[in-house]
Each structure stands twice: as structure tokens, then as C-alpha cells.
């Protein structure tokens, strides 16, 4: 670790590592990634790992579509010798209310405009996609065959190793304890292993992002919210796609090795950095999911865990350079879909930092939108 | 959701004693055991326990386990769930259990984690071949399931488990190729090593296993000497044909539940890994959660039983049960623990505990008025630093065979030897054990300060009756009678094999290294009783061999 870098990235999750990679690819190689524990130890390593393109806003649909293209070739793209575990089994989104079904149809139009190959599924065809589903109460469904999931650990390592190969340094078990700001400009970070100077500091700390930004005098509306997941014993494959219901707040999929992994949002979950799992969640999630997929009723749960969504008010990412500290850029607030849009987000941020053109307007993600009211409204999140 | 005052996780020696102690003060207890039969490691421990009578010393582990379980079953205030696995301890104190096939929730007022330990494994080529076992697994096969696990075994590790399981394999008629140990000394009790040496089992210190070989199953192992940096010395490789390799290379505390419960944890090498940090009453950093037994540091089962008792008392006391009685009981349990750990064998445990002991929080539960505990308990640790408490430095520590000097120092005077029978206690190591002292009705065997001292025989008081022979857990006591006849002297030996010889039989007499010294007549065999099961065999040997013969062999089998 040197005393000074061009760019210091705080956070060794998928965002921090992908930004490091894309920056290095564009020639900004004097980069240090500082991770307080180990790579993926935060939200990335705890996430549901889904990759979904079926979004309801043009911006998210574009981010997801273009990220999916990167995931499809991530090993080659980063020069990684492992397997990033991409499995495109599709996402089946099911609507339980009329209103939800109407929204789905609007979403499809947007998705088709950006070129996503999603389609509505006639009710009598749902069982062709997921044979064991209980269709009671389902008003409609959509499917996108190229949705799927990938291994968040391998994806992060792929970016990290690719970045290191180009000269990026990564330090783990090192905590950033302070930010140095002078004359309205970021100058560096203080860490548990000493002070480091930097021209640019990137805050990719997920649920910790608001706390971190406060150290530079930047107030951001990002809140950590606990989300839990459970996983069952592996059994024979009976379900390819991820099944997702916004109305019932759940998603469930069967992994390639046969375990069934499922997660749920809780509308009453308080803001907190708690990562403890709860038995109430275990019982509730198991009950809700088996209403829709009764075949999973006798599976044994082998693990449960919790991680954080980094929530923003409009449940969309905040990419923001601090007014109080020029050169301090926060990339957070992904509200539960950071993993799946990370590849394209990293490209967007890196293009900005290297003065390159991008087809997306990065300013749309700034916190200014909460003042102007031009929110990034996304109707379809769990 | 089920509510209970005290929940105990784990039905091994610590858990059983915790449940009994908590209920003895009046608390309602739920004891949860993963196995179908509680007892933990006790269910297969056919050897006699060390320690003092307070920890049932001299009784065999299986009998202690049965007795504790019977007491638990007879106690109306203890509910016992067997075949039930604790799944999780949640933030709100709810414990979930897989019980009768259901996800069951329990809300205990106090929780005692007594989950024990698991065997460690070693990395070497071929360690995945069928026939490579943990020593504990082999012990279960033999002693619980009645399956002879192999014909010829290589034992890796000369700690107590390696030595004891080797002895039990020998009892089951299995040949032991060798016991190898990476350290320069034997880690287990030397009386166990002496016992297997005189059965002809070599103990090789500073040796390691390089690989296991075989086509589809273990057919042998390659072992080698290692240097001071633990590197194999080229040219010392030996091929050891065997059909099983037992790994007795230590235990790791089973701490998952303590981690999950959010107990403060610390890595303490002396306690064998990451352990929950506890205070002197065994409460963890999370109020109301106690830890007892191997989960908070690997020790003998004797210590686990006392820790279990202390945790049970502490949990019940903190709920307000039997305040006055409990304090005295807690104190005596703490004194027992201090005594068990006072000798050189307890040095690492004392060091480990001192590194991470939690300071009792004033205002916690019922202990507001309690002051410093360390002043109340007799401090054995200062005794232990005394020069009298010395580690063995002779070759005895390498092979379990006492030197001539060590033997000469304990032999009775020549005059006393000619006068009639007298006990010879070949116990040179300071280990916590005193059944011999209790066994002698004449008070001829004594210890200087506490149970860690080596026993001393008073040659005037001892009449050579031999009662102590079958009561010594280490099988280290012999009676020699040079007055037996003009030609022959009598040696009385402990014996725990089958078949049992009968008087009139001629058997091979073996020295302390298992070498045959001749064939001698058995003149008497006495049983230690149905429970004790150790026989005393009297053998007539020439006068010049009576200090040499320490074992016998019937037929081809060295025993």
C-alpha cells in the first residue's frame, strides 16, 4: 500500500471492484480498493444473485439489459479463469392483482423499446414454464428467458483479479475511519492502516454509504435495510426460472446444484445495520413461498442469513459527486438490485471519470433529483 | 412456543451434569440431545476415569454416563429431548430445535451451551481412502456398535485419546502397528502409554504420517521421523502395512451456536481454538447464556462434568433458586476445577483461561453483593509454579517406559521387600487422580498436597493386600511378594483382556516394553467385581524377574 493514489475506492463489493476494473481498463490504474473485511463480505456476498431485465423504467431496463450482456461474457471480459456461474433460466414474474398485471403490461412496452426479449405468459401456459406452480389467484405473468442469476463471489473476484492484473491494488481488513477534505475538495482517506492521499475517492459502501458520505459533509438519503434469505437442501431439479411476486414480496429459484434459495422483503423492516437472521422470517418466508410453490413444502432449510439493501427514496441508485467535497463520489442506494446492474453502472461511472462519452446521462442519478422532483420511479421492486 | 427456565444444549458429560445441577436447586430444565442416547463421549468410554471421587474417578465412562442418564430420567423437573437437534439461537433469545420432525421454538430464561467438540483431521495424500478414521469413530464402532473396525491399525497421535483407543483396540483383539506422535513427547497420561508399551505397542514420538496407500482402501501407511521444524527426515521413511489409520490429533470446540448467539469469542491456542469467553461462573458475554465442557476449551471429561455442574448451579441460582446453598455448591465446584487443573497437565488450561476470563459484571443477575471470587477459591495455580510441580524430562516422556533411576526411587527398601507383599505404584507423572489413596483402607497411600501429586506408599502401613491394583485407573499399581517361596516371588498384575487366565495356566511374562521374559504359572486370579471388571492376576516368577515382569500374554497375543 502506497501513501498516495489517483483513486481510492472504499468498499470491496461488486460495485467497488467493477468500478476499479473499468477505471483501470480506461487507463486510470493508480487505484486502491479498501475493504473493511474481505471481498464480498457486505451486501454482495449476501445477495440473492438474481439478474433481471424486466424493469418498469427505461433507465433500469437499459442498465439491466446492458449489464446482462457483460455478465454473459464476464470471464472473457475480465480474463478470469474461474466460472462466474451465470445461469439464464429466466424470470417468471407473477401478478396477483389486476393493478399489478396492468403495470406488467406497461413494463413490457418499455422493455421492448430497449430490446429486452420479455413476453406475457398466457395463464394456461404458466405451468409450461414452472410445472409445480400453484396458479390460484395469479392474474397474469411475464417471462424473460435471458434473465437468470450468477455467482456474486466469482463475479466480484473476476472484476477484482482483472483490476489487479492491470495494476489496481486491493487491501482487505482495512477500515476507512475518516475522509480528508480541504477547500471543498477530497484529499484522501484515513484508514486503520494509515492515511492515504487521493485525487478521487469513491464511496461504494452500500448500506454504510450515508455514514461514509457524512465524513465528507455530504448528506445522502441512503438507508440500510435488512433483508433475509434462506436456502434449502439440494434436491432434483424441478424449476428453472426465478419466480417472483411483487405483491407477495418474494423471489425464489432453484440453484444449479439443486438448493432452493428464496428471499422476501418486509414492508415493516426498520432502518438498521442488523445482519442477524430471525426465526419469524424463516417461518413466514417458508409459508409464503410454499403457497405459490407447494412442492417445496417438505424441503429442509439448511441456512438462513441477512444482508442489507442500501435503500434510496425512489429505490434507485444514487451516483453523486459531493458538493461539499469535489472528487468524492458516492455510488450506492441500489435498493436491492445493485448486483445485477453493477457492470453497466461501473462503465457509466468510469466513462464519467475519464471524460468519455456515454449513452446514459449520469446526472440523472444525482441527488438533485430529490430537489427537482424528477425521481427515477421504479414500479417493480421486491 | 415452549417456555422453560433452563435449557441445556448437549447431553454429554457437561450437559447431563448441568441439567442435574440446575434441577437440584429447583429449576425446570429442558435437556436437548442430538443423538438417540445421551451421554456424549461417555457412551463409548470403557476406561476408568481419573480425577477424584467427586468426578466419579475409578468408574468407567460408560457407567458414569449410564448413572447420570438414569438420574436425569428419574428427575421430574428435567424434560429430556433426544434425537433433537438445536438449529439456531436467535437475537430475541428464541432457540429453535428440530424435535419430532418439527421446527420447534423454545424460549428459555437461561441457556447452557454444552455442545462439546469434534475431532480434527490431518491432510496427507490418501486421507480420503476408506479405512482412515477419526479415533473417536473407531471407538464408537467398537464400543457402541460392537464392530471390530480393523485387523491392524496405525494410530496417529499419542494424546490421551490415541493412547486409550489403542488400548481398547488391543482389548478388542486388534493389532496396533504403532502409535506415532509428531511432538517430541507423549501428550497423554504416561500411565496409558506404559500400559500399551507393556502390551507390545511401540510409541514413536517425532514421527508423522506421509501418506496412506492402498487400492480402494487402506493397505498401509508411510511414516517418517521429523526434525525440530516438523519436516520429514529423508531416509527415515517406513512402510507400515495396516488396514486402518486412526487419527487422534486433537479436538476442536463445537462453537457454532455460541458464535451465532453473539457470545464474545476469542482464539486461545491453549483451549484448542476459538472459544466463547466466560466468567468464573461460566456465563458468556451474552447475559443468561452459559458455556460448559469442551465447547469453551478442550479438557478431560472430569472437568466437563464439573463445569456442567457449575453452569447448572449458576443458571438456576441466577433465577433465584436456593441462594445460600447454591453459593457453597458453586464454590466447591470451582475448587474442584482448580484442583483438576492444578498440575503440570493443567498448565495450558490455566494459561488459556487466564488469557480470556471475563470479569463478572456487577449487577448481573443475583450477584450484586458478591465480591471478588478469586479470593474465595483456593489458589492452586501458585502451588503449580512451585518447583515440586515438575514435568517429566527423562525418556519416560518419550516412550512411557520408566527409567531405572525413576524405578529405584520408588522401590521399597530391600529389607521391606523380603518381609512380605508390598504395593509398587509406577505412577510418575503429576496427573489429577487419587482413587489409590481412597482405595487403601490402611491409609498406606498418600499424596502430599492435592490429587495432582504422585502417590507415595508407606512401606510400614502397606500390607500388600492388593486392593488398590484393580482400582487404579491407570493400571499402574503392582504388588510384589519376595517372601512367596525360596525360588519364586509373586507379582500381582492388573488385567483387562479376554480370555481371563485361570490359576494353573502358564502364560508369557512380559517386561515394561512388552518383551517376553519366560513362561510363568498363574497362581491366582481375582475379579474386581462386575462393575470394576479389572482382574488381578498373581504370577509366580523367579526372584530376579519380579521387578521386571509387568504384563502377561496368553497364546500369541501380547497383553
Amino acid at each position: 500500500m502506497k501513501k498516495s493514489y489517483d483513486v481510492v475506492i472504499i468498499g470491496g463489493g461488486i460495485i467497488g471492484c467493477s468500478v476499479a476494473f473499468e477505471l483501470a481498463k480506461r487507463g486510470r490504474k493508480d487505484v486502491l480498493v479498501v475493504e473493511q473485511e474481505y471481498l464480498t463480505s457486505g451486501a454482495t456476498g449476501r445477495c440473492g444473485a438474481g439478474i433481471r431485465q424486466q424493469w418498469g423504467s427505461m433507465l433500469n431496463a437499459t442498465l439491466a439489459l446492458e449489464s446482462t450482456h457483460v455478465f454473459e461474457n464476464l470471464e472473457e471480459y475480465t480474463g478470469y479463469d474461474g466460472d462466474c456461474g451465470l445461469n439464464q433460466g429466466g424470470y417468471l414474474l407473477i401478478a396477483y392483482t389486476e393493478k399489478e398485471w396492468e403495470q406488467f403490461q406497461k413494463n413490457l412496452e418499455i422493455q421492448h423499446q430497449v430490446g429486452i426479449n420479455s413476453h406475457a405468459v398466457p395463464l394456461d401456459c404458466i405451468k409450461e414454464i414452472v410445472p409445480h406452480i400453484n396458479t390460484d389467484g395469479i392474474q397474469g405473468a411475464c417471462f424473460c428467458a435471458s434473465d437468470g442469476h450468477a455467482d456474486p463471489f466469482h463475479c466480484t473476484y473476476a472484476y477484482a483479479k482483472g483490476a489487479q492484473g492491470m495494476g489496481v491494488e486491493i487491501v482487505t481488513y482495512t477500515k476507512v475511519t475518516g475522509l480528508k477534505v480541504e477547500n471543498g475538495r477530497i484529499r484522501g482517506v484515513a484508514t486503520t492502516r494509515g492515511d492515504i492521499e487521493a485525487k478521487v475517492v469513491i464511496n461504494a459502501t452500500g448500506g454504510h454509504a450515508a455514514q461514509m458520505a457524512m465524513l465528507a459533509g455530504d448528506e445522502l438519503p441512503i438507508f440500510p435495510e435488512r433483508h433475509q434469505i434462506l436456502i434449502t437442501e439440494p434436491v432434483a431439479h424441478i424449476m428453472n426460472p426465478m419466480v417472483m411476486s411483487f405483491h407477495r414480496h418474494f423471489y425464489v429459484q432453484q440453484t444449479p446444484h439443486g438448493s432452493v434459495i428464496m428471499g422476501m422483503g418486509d414492508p415493516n423492516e426498520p432502518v438498521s445495520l442488523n445482519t442477524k437472521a430471525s426465526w419469524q422470517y424463516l417461518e413466514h418466508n417458508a409459508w409464503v413461498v410454499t403457497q405459490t410453490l407447494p412442492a417445496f413444502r417438505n424441503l429442509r432449510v439448511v441456512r438462513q442469513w441477512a444482508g442489507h439493501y442500501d435503500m434510496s427514496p425512489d429505490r434507485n441508485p444514487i451516483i453523486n459527486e459531493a458538493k461539499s467535497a469535489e472528487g468524492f463520489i458516492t455510488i450506492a442506494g441500489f435498493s436491492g438490485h445493485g448486483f445485477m446492474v453493477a457492470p453497466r453502472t461501473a462503465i457509466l461511472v468510469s466513462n464519467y471519470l475519464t471524460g468519455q462519452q456515454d449513452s446514459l446521462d449520469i446526472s440523472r442519478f444525482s441527488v438533485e433529483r430529490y430537489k427537482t422532483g424528477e425521481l427515477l420511479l421504479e414500479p417493480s421492486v421486491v | 412456543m415452549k417456555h422453560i427456565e433452563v435449557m441445556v444444549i448437549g447431553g454429554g458429560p457437561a450437559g447431563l451434569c448441568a441439567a442435574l445441577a440446575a434441577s437440584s436447586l429447583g429449576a425446570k430444565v429442558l435437556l436437548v440431545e442430538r443423538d438417540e442416547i445421551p451421554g456424549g463421549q461417555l457412551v463409548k468410554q470403557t476406561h476408568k476415569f481419573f480425577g477424584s471421587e467427586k468426578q466419579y474417578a475409578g468408574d468407567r465412562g460408560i457407567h458414569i454416563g449410564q448413572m447420570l442418564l438414569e438420574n436425569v430420567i428419574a428427575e421430574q423437573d428435567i424434560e429430556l429431548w433426544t434425537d433433537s437437534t438445536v438449529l439456531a439461537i436467535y437475537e430475541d433469545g428464541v432457540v429453535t430445535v428440530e424435535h419430532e420432525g418439527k421446527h420447534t421454538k423454545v424460549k428459555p430464561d437461561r441457556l447452557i451451551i454444552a455442545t462439546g467438540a469434534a475431532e480434527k483431521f490431518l491432510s496427507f495424500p490418501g486421507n480420503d481412502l476408506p479405512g482412515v478414521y477419526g479415533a473417536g469413530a473407531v471407538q464408537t464402532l467398537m464400543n457402541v456398535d460392537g464392530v471390530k473396525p480393523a485387523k491392524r491399525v496405525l494410530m496417529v497421535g499419542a494424546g490421551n485419546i490415541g493412547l486409550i483407543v489403542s488400548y481398547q483396540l488391543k482389548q478388542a483383539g486388534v493389532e496396533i502397528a504403532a502409535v506415532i506422535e509428531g511432538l517430541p513427547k507423549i501428550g497423554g497420561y504416561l500411565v496409558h502409554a506404559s500400559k500399551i508399551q507393556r502390551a507390545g505397542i511401540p510409541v514413536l514420538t517425532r514421527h508423522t504420517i506421509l501418506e496412506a496407500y492402498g487400492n480402494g482402501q487402506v493397505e498401509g501407511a508411510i511414516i517418517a521421523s521429523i526434525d525440530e521444524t516438523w519436516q520429514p527426515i529423508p531416509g527415515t521413511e517406513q512402510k507400515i502395512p495396516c488396514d486402518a489409520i486412526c487419527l487422534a490429533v486433537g479436538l476442536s470446540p463445537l462453537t457454532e451456536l455460541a458464535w451465532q448467539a453473539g457470545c464474545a469469542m476469542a482464539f486461545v491456542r491453549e483451549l484448542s481454538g476459538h472459544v466463547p469467553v466466560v466468567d468464573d461462573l461460566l456465563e458468556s458475554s451474552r447475559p443468561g447464556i452459559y458455556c460448559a465442557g469442551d465447547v469453551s476449551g478442550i479438557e478431560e471429561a472430569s472437568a466437563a462434568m464439573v463445569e456442567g455442574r457449575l453452569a447448572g448451579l449458576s443458571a438456576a441460582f441466577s433465577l433465584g433458586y436456593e441462594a445460600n446453598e447454591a453459593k457453597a455448591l458453586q464454590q466447591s465446584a470451582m475448587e474442584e476445577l482448580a484442583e483438576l487443573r492444578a498440575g503440570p497437565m493443567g498448565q495450558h488450561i490455566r494459561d488459556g483461561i487466564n488469557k480470556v476470563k471475563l470479569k463478572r459484571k456487577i449487577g448481573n443477575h443475583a450477584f450484586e453483593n458478591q465480591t471478588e471470587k478469586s479470593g474465595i477459591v483456593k489458589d492452586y495455580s501458585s502451588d503449580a509454579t512451585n518447583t515440586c510441580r515438575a514435568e517429566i524430562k527423562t525418556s519416560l516422556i518419550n516412550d512411557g517406559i520408566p527409567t531405572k533411576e525413576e524405578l529405584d526411587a520408588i522401590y521399597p527398601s530391600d529389607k521391606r521387600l523380603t518381609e512380605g507383599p508390598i504395593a509398587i505404584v509406577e505412577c510418575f507423572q503429576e496427573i489429577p487422580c487419587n482413587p489409590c489413596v481412597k482405595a487403601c483402607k490402611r491409609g498406606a497411600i498418600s499424596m502430599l498436597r492435592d490429587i495432582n501429586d504422585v502417590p507415595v506408599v508407606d512401606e510400614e502401613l502397606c500390607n500388600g493386600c492388593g486392593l488398590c491394583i484393580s482400582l487404579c485407573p491407570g493400571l499402574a499399581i503392582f504388588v510384589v511378594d519376595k517372601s512367596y517361596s525360596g525360588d519364586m516371588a509373586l507379582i500381582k498384575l492388573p488385567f483387562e483382556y479376554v480370555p481371563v487366565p485361570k490359576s494353573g495356566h502358564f502364560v508369557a511374562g512380559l517386561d515394561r516394553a512388552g518383551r517376553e521374559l519366560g513362561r510363568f504359572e498363574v497362581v491366582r486370579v481375582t475379579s474386581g467385581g462386575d462393575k470394576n471388571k479389572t482382574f488381578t492376576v498373581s504370577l509366580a516368577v523367579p526372584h530376579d524377574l519380579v521387578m521386571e515382569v509387568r504384563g502377561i500374554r496368553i497364546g500369541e497375543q501380547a497383553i
Side-chain angles (χ1 to χ4, degrees):
Chain A
M1 201 169 78
K2 298 185 296 177
K3 289 269 173 215
S4 168
Y5 290 85
D6 177 19
V7 181
V8 167
I9 299 172
I10 312 168
I14 188 77
I15 299 293
C17 292
S18 60
V19 169
F21 175 84
E22 295 293 350
L23 277 175
K25 207 169 157 238
R26 283 160 182 75
R28 287 189 85 160
K29 297 176 179 178
D30 187 23
V31 176
L32 174 73
V33 178
V34 184
E35 162 56 44
Q36 65 172 345
E37 285 188 49
Y38 52 91
L39 296 184
T40 73
S41 59
T44 300
R46 297 160 184 270
C47 79
I51 294 171
R52 161 161 75 103
Q53 299 159 86
Q54 297 179 76
W55 290 91
S57 67
M58 192 72 86
L59 208 50
N60 275 332
T62 306
L63 279 177
L65 171 69
E66 294 180 15
S67 293
T68 304
H69 291 328
V70 177
F71 278 120
E72 283 167 350
N73 296 295
L74 188 59
E75 294 91 344
E76 199 182 333
Y77 185 67
T78 56
Y80 188 55
D81 57 7
D83 177 2
C84 291
L86 178 69
N87 177 33
Q88 289 171 296
Y91 259 54
L92 181 74
L93 306 186
I94 48 179
Y96 279 103
T97 66
E98 273 300 322
K99 199 172 155 231
E100 200 179 9
W101 177 229
E102 279 167 26
Q103 182 65 50
F104 277 18
Q105 287 162 312
K106 284 183 205 158
N107 293 356
L108 281 174
E109 280 174 34
I110 287 169
Q111 289 157 17
H112 293 159
Q113 279 177 44
V114 302
I116 293 167
N117 62 347
S118 53
H119 60 86
V121 182
L123 285 179
D124 56 354
C125 296
I126 293 175
K127 276 179 179 286
E128 287 172 21
I129 296 170
V130 178
H132 295 276
I133 199 165
N134 170 16
T135 54
D136 290 355
I138 295 180
Q139 303 292 314
C142 293
F143 186 68
C144 174
S146 60
D147 285 350
H149 57 88
D151 184 316
F153 305 98
H154 278 294
C155 290
T156 308
Y157 301 151
Y159 275 122
K161 291 207 163 150
Q164 282 171 315
M166 290 185 281
V168 169
E169 284 181 51
I170 298 177
V171 289
T172 55
Y173 294 98
T174 307
K175 204 175 161 77
V176 170
T177 52
L179 297 172
K180 198 163 139 202
V181 181
E182 276 173 17
N183 304 324
R185 229 208 115 74
I186 193 82
R187 296 293 178 193
V189 299
T191 78
T192 47
R193 289 169 62 182
D195 292 354
I196 301 160
E197 286 176 17
K199 293 191 186 75
V200 172
V201 173
I202 292 173
N203 174 16
T205 59
H208 303 272
Q211 276 181 330
M212 186 60 71
M214 278 304 282
L215 297 175
D218 195 18
E219 205 168 319
L220 293 175
I222 299 170
F223 310 99
E225 184 180 288
R226 176 177 71 162
H227 280 248
Q228 301 189 56
I229 293 182
L230 51 89
I231 190 163
T232 72
E233 60 190 329
V235 288
H237 240 270
I238 63 165
M239 188 171 92
N240 242 339
M242 177 87 88
V243 175
M244 193 167 196
S245 161
F246 302 112
H247 180 69
R248 292 185 176 174
H249 305 287
F250 76 80
Y251 60 87
V252 53
Q253 65 161 50
Q254 193 169 15
T255 64
H257 76 282
S259 288
V260 179
I261 184 167
M262 58 190 82
M264 267 191 90
D266 176 357
N268 300 316
E269 182 69 37
V271 171
S272 83
L273 278 165
N274 184 9
T275 49
K276 294 276 189 194
S278 74
W279 58 269
Q280 291 91 340
Y281 173 81
L282 171 67
E283 295 191 338
H284 184 60
N285 191 6
W287 186 84
V288 169
V289 166
T290 53
Q291 297 307 299
T292 302
L293 288 154
F296 294 149
R297 203 164 272 167
N298 291 324
L299 286 188
R300 278 175 289 202
V301 174
V302 294
R303 270 196 315 285
Q304 67 174 129
W305 67 89
H308 299 123
Y309 278 19
D310 41 339
M311 301 302 292
S312 73
D314 56 1
R315 301 196 283 192
N316 266 311
I318 291 172
I319 304 173
N320 192 66
E321 185 159 4
K323 285 231 164 65
S324 56
E326 201 187 325
F328 179 73
I329 299 162
T330 295
I331 314 170
F334 288 90
S335 306
H337 49 279
F339 174 67
M340 63 182 78
V341 300
R344 184 61 179 91
T345 307
I347 291 169
L348 174 65
V349 172
S350 304
N351 280 342
Y352 168 72
L353 285 172
T354 54
Q356 296 187 37
Q357 291 284 315
D358 196 298
S359 56
L360 294 175
D361 175 9
I362 197 168
S363 68
R364 284 293 286 120
F365 294 97
S366 102
V367 283
E368 285 304 303
R369 68 183 190 261
Y370 302 116
K371 287 182 189 146
T372 61
E374 292 175 84
L375 300 183
L376 298 173
L377 289 176
E378 174 50 62
S380 301
V381 289
V382 176
Chain B
M1 188 161 341
K2 179 183 178 67
H3 172 258
I4 191 78
E5 289 181 329
V6 177
M7 180 175 187
V8 182
I9 304 173
L16 289 168
C17 290
L20 287 167
S23 70
S24 75
L25 293 189
K28 300 268 187 293
V29 179
L30 173 65
L31 174 58
V32 182
E33 165 57 42
R34 183 172 60 180
D35 215 326
E36 286 170 27
I37 301 165
Q41 301 306 300
L42 295 175
V43 301
K44 59 191 181 190
Q45 292 183 337
T46 53
H47 56 279
K48 289 179 191 158
F49 270 40
F50 292 65
S52 76
E53 62 185 347
K54 290 173 234 161
Q55 302 98 35
Y56 319 106
D59 285 355
R60 296 184 188 276
I62 41 169
H63 296 142
I64 297 171
Q66 280 161 8
M67 178 270 295
L68 294 174
L69 180 57
E70 281 162 18
N71 292 347
V72 161
I73 290 168
E75 175 56 58
Q76 289 195 333
D77 283 342
I78 303 175
E79 187 177 351
L80 175 61
W81 288 1
T82 56
D83 206 4
S84 301
T85 305
V86 170
L87 304 169
I89 300 170
Y90 287 97
E91 228 180 341
D92 54 6
V94 171
V95 181
T96 54
V97 189
E98 188 187 4
H99 174 58
E100 295 176 345
K102 290 260 188 300
H103 186 248
T104 309
K105 296 184 288 292
V106 181
K107 181 76 174 67
D109 294 332
R110 299 287 182 269
L111 183 61
I112 299 171
I113 301 176
T115 42
E119 292 192 279
K120 288 180 185 167
F121 212 69
L122 270 191
S123 305
F124 53 86
N127 73 353
D128 57 345
L129 279 175
V132 179
Y133 292 95
V138 156
Q139 206 182 15
T140 305
L141 272 177
M142 277 193 300
N143 298 348
V144 178
D145 302 318
V147 175
K148 186 175 167 181
K151 292 190 181 74
R152 191 168 199 259
V153 166
L154 173 70
M155 180 66 66
V156 182
N160 270 340
I161 295 178
L163 298 174
I164 289 170
V165 173
S166 296
Y167 179 66
Q168 292 173 0
L169 281 162
K170 185 85 187 170
Q171 287 179 304
V174 177
E175 188 187 349
I176 314 296
V179 178
I180 63 170
E181 166 62 54
L183 287 169
K185 60 173 195 171
I186 292 167
Y189 292 169
L190 295 176
V191 285
H192 287 310
S194 304
K195 195 165 68 180
I196 66 169
Q197 277 282 11
R198 62 178 180 259
I201 301 169
V203 180
L204 309 173
T205 51
R206 274 216 196 283
H207 274 71
T208 194
I209 180 166
L210 297 180
E211 65 172 271
Y213 62 85
N215 184 14
Q217 63 181 64
V218 169
E219 290 169 13
I222 296 172
I223 65 168
S225 301
I226 52 176
D227 63 21
E228 284 174 10
T229 62
W230 290 73
Q231 296 309 305
I233 300 169
T236 62
E237 297 85 359
Q238 290 182 59
K239 240 179 161 173
I240 306 283
C242 57
D243 58 345
I245 296 165
C246 282
L247 302 179
V249 290
L251 302 171
S252 295
L254 282 171
T255 53
E256 291 87 344
L257 288 172
W259 280 106
Q260 194 190 32
C263 300
M265 305 291 288
F267 182 85
V268 188
R269 191 181 53 79
E270 293 87 343
L271 302 177
S272 302
H274 277 100
V275 289
V277 178
V278 294
D279 65 18
D280 50 6
L281 296 176
L282 306 184
E283 189 171 14
S284 73
S285 66
R286 187 166 162 186
I289 296 185
Y290 299 77
C291 299
D294 278 357
V295 68
S296 52
I298 306 300
E299 280 188 87
E300 294 299 314
S302 320
M305 289 190 285
V306 184
E307 281 207 342
R309 185 181 350 130
L310 178 56
L313 292 168
S314 302
F317 180 33
S318 73
L319 291 168
Y321 284 106
E322 300 288 351
N324 291 326
E325 191 189 335
K327 278 186 185 174
L329 292 170
Q330 282 176 329
Q331 190 182 324
S332 72
M334 284 189 277
E335 281 172 6
E336 278 177 53
L337 284 171
E339 192 178 30
L340 284 171
R341 293 164 179 161
M345 300 298 278
Q347 178 76 48
H348 63 291
I349 298 292
R350 297 197 301 274
D351 292 347
I353 290 172
N354 287 336
K355 269 187 188 171
V356 293
K357 190 149 90 176
L358 261 192
K359 270 232 156 23
R360 174 141 291 275
K361 300 170 285 291
I362 300 296
N364 190 15
H365 304 317
F367 290 95
E368 284 92 340
N369 301 322
Q370 203 134 356
T371 50
E372 277 291 304
K373 282 237 122 34
S374 53
I376 304 168
V377 179
K378 184 182 167 195
D379 187 3
Y380 287 92
S381 54
S382 57
D383 282 2
T385 54
N386 191 315
T387 48
C388 298
R389 282 279 147 87
E391 287 198 42
I392 308 276
K393 294 214 166 64
T394 65
S395 61
L396 171 60
I397 197 79
N398 301 114
D399 56 17
I401 301 172
T403 61
K404 184 174 180 302
E405 292 71 28
E406 279 159 334
L407 290 168
D408 284 345
I410 61 151
Y411 284 160
S413 63
D414 289 343
K415 177 172 169 290
R416 175 64 186 81
L417 279 169
T418 56
E419 285 170 5
I422 180 163
I424 295 178
V425 184
E426 299 194 3
C427 177
F428 302 94
Q429 190 179 31
E430 289 174 291
I431 54 176
C433 182
N434 74 350
C436 55
V437 176
K438 303 282 170 187
C440 185
K441 306 290 180 231
R442 300 169 64 88
I445 306 180
S446 62
M447 288 178 179
L448 192 62
R449 291 160 301 185
D450 63 57
I451 64 168
N452 290 281
D453 287 301
V454 294
V456 177
V457 179
D458 184 318
E459 59 180 53
E460 299 308 318
L461 290 175
C462 176
N463 67 351
C465 73
L467 263 181
C468 49
I469 294 175
S470 68
L471 292 168
C472 169
L475 305 191
I477 305 183
F478 307 88
V479 166
V480 167
D481 182 5
K482 285 197 168 185
S483 69
Y484 180 63
S485 78
D487 301 336
M488 302 298 265
L490 205 65
I491 171 79
K492 294 185 182 179
L493 313 153
F495 183 85
E496 292 186 333
Y497 296 89
V498 284
V500 179
K502 291 198 169 66
S503 53
H505 282 180
F506 274 78
V507 297
L510 309 171
D511 72 2
R512 295 184 181 87
R515 291 175 294 239
E516 184 173 334
L517 299 173
R519 295 188 72 80
F520 310 111
E521 187 185 1
V522 174
V523 295
R524 195 162 175 233
V525 178
T526 55
S527 164
D530 285 347
K531 198 171 166 214
N532 178 299
K533 287 192 190 303
T534 304
F535 289 86
T536 302
V537 174
S538 304
L539 206 63
V541 301
H543 278 270
D544 61 337
L545 291 179
V546 75
M547 292 313 215
E548 304 301 325
V549 174
R550 288 297 177 267
I552 59 171
R553 181 177 63 204
I554 303 170
E556 286 310 300
Q557 181 81 307
I559 41 186

